[in-house]
Amino acid sequence: LRRSFRQLQRELGQSCVLVTHDRDEAFELADQVAVMFDGRIEQCSPPAELWQRPRTLRVADFLGAFNRLDARRLPAPWQREQGSWISPLSALQPATPDTPADAWRFTARVVAAHPGLQHTSVELSAWGDQALVLNLPPGSAPPPPGTALELALPSSAPHWLAD
């Protein structure tokens, strides 16, 4: 139904306003997605831009696909007096010899692992009690709780937002 709607809209060359509470539907059908809270548009952007650069923590939290780090509790040079660094969950990866030299490298401890159909979600703790999520490919053997993992974030992935 979604594909048929999108195809019809393109064939007719008509603009449409679709109101939905289904994020997948919004991202599949829209050229622009407006995220609203309390009757006000918080951000209106193309879907890819919304996923890459949400403008507020509220939008990032709503999308739910980001690691959020309290910038006050991070080591230099990432530390800030306020705000948070956010990064798409997909950007966090195990560090390898091929990891670019400018990537953010750090160690985190495994808190829990949750195998799923699309990925294994690994809950992590870094820099004290900062919570992170690492998604591993389906079928990956999850590391046991307490395991230390060397991780990396590409330097282009984290995006700083004031709280």
Side-chain angles (χ1 to χ4, degrees):
L1 184 61
R2 290 178 189 169
R3 283 189 293 272
S4 295
F5 176 82
R6 184 66 162 158
Q7 181 179 355
L8 180 62
Q9 183 262 333
R10 284 185 177 148
E11 287 174 2
L12 296 174
Q14 296 290 317
S15 295
C16 300
V17 175
L18 174 71
V19 177
T20 182
H21 293 250
D22 183 328
R23 282 176 274 203
D24 291 335
E25 183 174 64
F27 279 82
E28 184 177 335
L29 293 175
D31 294 320
Q32 295 279 323
V33 175
V35 178
M36 296 180 72
F37 298 109
D38 304 320
R40 293 187 49 219
I41 294 175
E42 186 93 7
Q43 182 172 348
C44 184
S45 303
E49 181 181 322
L50 196 60
W51 279 118
Q52 294 299 316
R53 297 280 186 202
R55 291 187 197 129
T56 67
L57 291 173
R58 194 170 186 189
V59 170
D61 289 342
F62 171 76
L63 295 173
F66 294 89
N67 278 310
R68 179 178 170 184
L69 301 169
D70 183 339
R72 295 168 297 188
R73 297 179 7 218
L74 297 176
W78 315 326
Q79 191 174 64
R80 301 285 188 274
E81 290 183 20
Q82 65 174 6
S84 298
W85 289 98
I86 62 167
S87 176
L89 292 180
S90 60
L92 183 61
Q93 299 291 322
T96 68
D98 297 330
T99 298
D102 66 342
W104 293 15
R105 292 173 177 262
F106 59 94
T107 301
R109 294 229 174 264
V110 175
V111 175
H114 309 283
L117 294 175
Q118 296 183 4
H119 58 263
T120 296
S121 180
V122 181
E123 293 178 47
L124 304 164
S125 179
W127 304 291
D129 61 349
Q130 296 254 18
L132 296 165
V133 174
L134 170 67
N135 288 331
L136 298 175
S140 297
T147 303
L149 296 179
E150 295 297 320
L151 301 171
L153 270 174
S155 60
S156 61
H159 174 58
W160 183 80
L161 291 173
D163 287 338

